[in-house]
Amino acid sequence: MFDDAGQPVAVDAPIRTGQVLHYYRDIADEAVIPFDETILFQDDWLVVADKPHFLPVTPTGGYVQQTLLVRLKRRLGIEHLAPIHRIDRETAGLTLFAVQPATRDAYHALFRQRAVTKTYEAIAASPGVQPFPRVHRSRIVEDSSAFFRMVETPGEANSETRIEVLEVRGTHARYGLQPLTGRRHQLRVSMDALGLPIIGDQFYPTVRRGPREPEDFSRPLQLLARTIAFTDPVTGQARAFESRRSLQWPEPDA
C-alpha cells in the first residue's frame, strides 16, 4: 500500500481519519493488449485519449498494468489522473481524464447533468425495412443468469438512444448512435433488440466468449466512441473532440 504522497505504508500502520491509501494488485501472467492509445489533447485540467479496442479504462478483473489509466499515468507522470467517464473495454474511442483532483467533480457533473454530447458509430446488418432515424427507449437491467450481460425487460424505460443510418454497403450498414442515458452496454443491447447486433459482439445476442476466455484480437467489436462535445466547466471554452480511429467493414460474403 502507498499513501497519497506515494510513500509505502506498512500493513500494521495506524490509519488516520481521511487518509487516502492506494493498493495495487499483482496479477500473474497479465495478458498484454497489443494496441496503443493515442493522446489527442492535454492541458492542466484535462486529458483526452483515443482508446483502442480491448483495453480496459481502469483496473478490473485480470487487468491492472494493461489498462488505459495505468498506461497514461506512467506515460504522463500524472499520479492523480482519474477517468471522468468510461467506455466498455471492447469499445474503441474517446475517453476523458481529469488531471486535478480539485476540478474532477466539475467534469463529473457534466455527465450527471447530461451536458455532454456524445456520438458513437457501429457496424451491423443493414436495416432492411426498419425506419431510421429512430429513438430507441427501453428498460435495461443486469442479466440474472450472467452478470457480465445486460438485458431489456418490461417496465419503465431507463435508457434512450437516437440511432441513424450513416452509410450502407451491401448487407451491412454504419450507424450513428447518440446515447441520451448511460446504461452499461446500452448501445450493444439496443442494437441487438432491433435485430441488428453489432459486428464482433461476443455477448449479444448470444455469449460467444466467456469473461475469462482468451481474446480473439482479430475480431474487435465494431463500436467506436466517435465524438464528444461540451463546455469546459473550468475554462469556459467550448470543447469538441473526434476519434481518429475507424471501424472495419466485414468482407462482402461475411
Side-chain angles (χ1 to χ4, degrees):
M1 290 188 297
F2 298 85
D3 61 20
D4 225 19
Q7 298 301 311
V9 177
V11 294
D12 58 350
I15 304 300
R16 304 186 306 274
T17 300
Q19 184 177 9
V20 176
L21 298 176
H22 302 270
Y23 169 69
Y24 299 91
R25 295 181 295 132
D26 289 325
I27 296 179
D29 301 321
E30 182 175 352
V32 175
I33 308 300
F35 308 105
D36 296 326
E37 71 283 353
T38 302
I39 296 174
L40 300 181
F41 176 83
Q42 180 183 357
D43 66 8
D44 291 337
W45 300 277
L46 186 67
V47 171
V48 181
D50 204 356
K51 186 182 85 67
H53 290 104
F54 302 106
L55 185 69
V57 173
T58 58
T60 181
Y63 298 97
V64 174
Q65 303 303 321
Q66 294 295 306
T67 62
L68 183 58
L69 176 62
V70 173
R71 283 186 180 186
L72 290 177
K73 281 186 173 184
R74 289 182 168 181
R75 179 174 175 179
L76 301 176
I78 303 175
E79 180 58 34
H80 294 292
L81 196 68
I84 299 169
H85 70 123
R86 303 180 190 187
I87 60 177
D88 293 344
R89 182 175 65 86
E90 297 88 351
T91 304
L94 301 179
T95 311
L96 308 183
F97 292 82
V99 175
Q100 306 289 348
T103 56
R104 188 180 301 161
D105 189 62
Y107 288 106
H108 282 303
L110 292 174
F111 290 86
R112 292 197 301 267
Q113 299 164 5
R114 299 185 183 178
V116 177
T117 300
K118 298 178 291 181
T119 66
Y120 289 71
E121 291 182 7
I123 294 179
S126 298
V129 299
Q130 293 193 61
F132 284 92
R134 66 191 297 164
V135 175
H136 184 79
R137 299 181 180 91
S138 66
R139 182 168 188 80
I140 296 177
V141 299
E142 185 176 291
D143 187 341
S144 60
S145 63
F147 71 92
F148 52 88
R149 275 173 43 98
M150 306 294 284
V151 294
E152 288 193 346
T153 187
E156 182 180 357
N158 60 7
S159 72
E160 181 174 347
T161 305
R162 185 181 187 278
I163 308 172
E164 62 180 328
V165 177
L166 301 177
E167 181 183 4
V168 176
R169 295 187 189 179
T171 59
H172 291 86
R174 180 168 58 92
Y175 295 84
L177 305 99
Q178 184 177 350
L180 302 180
T181 52
R183 297 290 166 180
R184 182 161 65 100
H185 293 184
Q186 177 175 318
L187 303 181
R188 300 162 67 175
V189 173
S190 296
M191 290 293 287
D192 180 51
L194 294 173
L196 302 168
I198 299 172
I199 298 298
D201 202 322
Q202 299 296 306
F203 296 160
Y204 306 96
T206 58
V207 177
R208 293 188 290 168
R209 182 188 64 82
R212 294 179 177 82
E213 292 180 18
E215 293 280 7
D216 180 356
F217 292 131
S218 68
R219 294 179 56 85
L221 175 70
Q222 295 306 304
L223 180 61
L224 174 68
R226 171 63 72 187
T227 68
I228 193 166
F230 55 93
T231 298
D232 193 304
V234 178
T235 67
Q237 293 178 291
R239 302 288 195 193
F241 304 99
E242 181 172 358
S243 172
R244 297 174 185 169
R245 300 182 184 276
S246 58
L247 297 175
Q248 300 172 359
W249 289 85
E251 295 297 326
D253 58 348

